[in-house]
Amino acid sequence: MRDERGGSSVPALAVLVLLGVVAVVGVFGGKKHDDVDFATLTASTTATTITTAPLDTQPFAGTDGLVVHPRAETALYSAPDADPFGKIGPTQFGPTWLPVVEQTDGWVRVLLPSKPNRSTGWLADEDLDRASSSYLIRVHTSSRTIELFQQNKRLGEWKAGVGAKKTPTPPGRTFLLGSSRPSARTDRSRSPA
């Protein structure tokens, strides 16, 4: 094919065909995150076990402090664009903030609060808030202590409980999902019987 100026129109036609293929794949191919059936997915919580969750492949690596918060219930994937295996909600013991252990274009891999220990999942990066945590906690199981650091400055050390022999504290990176403090106020609403 030649255009009126004597040039070839084949490259232009090839570009149009390629754009048409890309449009069809974009419309009909690939995963649509909006089509996830959340009712069939197990929620990742401290009380659940999700045996299909991939495990952290580098449990002794550090993190850069990046944490993400899902703004709504979000699907968890074993790999970018794979089928979902679970879900994570925006609140557990307050807002859910999860440490990022890996990133790729449009996706983040996070540590999960569910069992087994070292569970991870990939989240689509579109509906996540991002923040950075300057805190690091080191647990020393042999001395039963924890150390708290902020920006590599040691803030203190405290006694800590660790797992029993049958359920030992697993080594490697993990995170605090939430914290609680005992109330100094006592419940005076009940009267003795």
Side-chain angles (χ1 to χ4, degrees), residues 94-155:
T96 302
W97 286 93
L98 305 165
V100 173
V101 296
E102 191 176 347
Q103 296 182 68
T104 190
D105 189 36
W107 294 87
V108 294
R109 186 176 188 182
V110 297
L111 294 177
L112 298 175
S114 49
K115 288 180 176 55
N117 292 317
R118 299 184 180 152
S119 291
T120 66
W122 287 92
L123 298 171
D125 201 10
E126 52 204 21
D127 292 318
L128 302 173
D129 291 327
R130 291 173 166 254
S132 182
S133 175
S134 60
Y135 289 97
L136 172 70
I137 296 174
R138 287 199 177 119
V139 178
H140 305 282
T141 55
S142 59
S143 63
R144 296 178 180 243
T145 58
I146 62 171
E147 291 180 287
L148 176 63
F149 295 85
Q150 184 178 26
Q151 297 177 342
N152 296 321
K153 180 183 175 194
R154 187 172 180 266
L155 299 178

Side-chain angles (χ1 to χ4, degrees), residues 2-157:
R2 296 207 168 263
D3 67 15
E4 296 162 0
R5 296 172 299 195
S8 176
S9 63
V10 172
L13 181 61
V15 168
L16 287 174
V17 168
L18 181 61
L19 288 174
V21 169
V22 168
V24 168
V25 169
V27 170
F28 297 108
K31 299 262 181 249
K32 295 200 92 181
H33 304 294
D34 298 338
D35 296 338
V36 173
D37 182 6
F38 286 100
T40 63
L41 298 175
T42 302
S44 177
T45 70
T46 58
T48 58
T49 298
I50 305 177
T51 57
T52 54
L55 299 181
D56 188 357
T57 57
Q58 297 182 4
F60 299 102
T63 64
D64 62 4
L66 178 62
V67 291
V68 293
H69 167 68
R71 292 185 205 118
E73 190 171 57
T74 302
L76 295 165
Y77 299 85
S78 57
D81 284 323
D83 289 328
F85 68 83
K87 61 186 174 184
I88 188 88
T91 57
Q92 289 183 58
F93 307 108
T96 302
W97 286 93
L98 305 165
V100 173
V101 296
E102 191 176 347
Q103 296 182 68
T104 190
D105 189 36
W107 294 87
V108 294
R109 186 176 188 182
V110 297
L111 294 177
L112 298 175
S114 49
K115 288 180 176 55
N117 292 317
R118 299 184 180 152
S119 291
T120 66
W122 287 92
L123 298 171
D125 201 10
E126 52 204 21
D127 292 318
L128 302 173
D129 291 327
R130 291 173 166 254
S132 182
S133 175
S134 60
Y135 289 97
L136 172 70
I137 296 174
R138 287 199 177 119
V139 178
H140 305 282
T141 55
S142 59
S143 63
R144 296 178 180 243
T145 58
I146 62 171
E147 291 180 287
L148 176 63
F149 295 85
Q150 184 178 26
Q151 297 177 342
N152 296 321
K153 180 183 175 194
R154 187 172 180 266
L155 299 178
E157 180 180 300

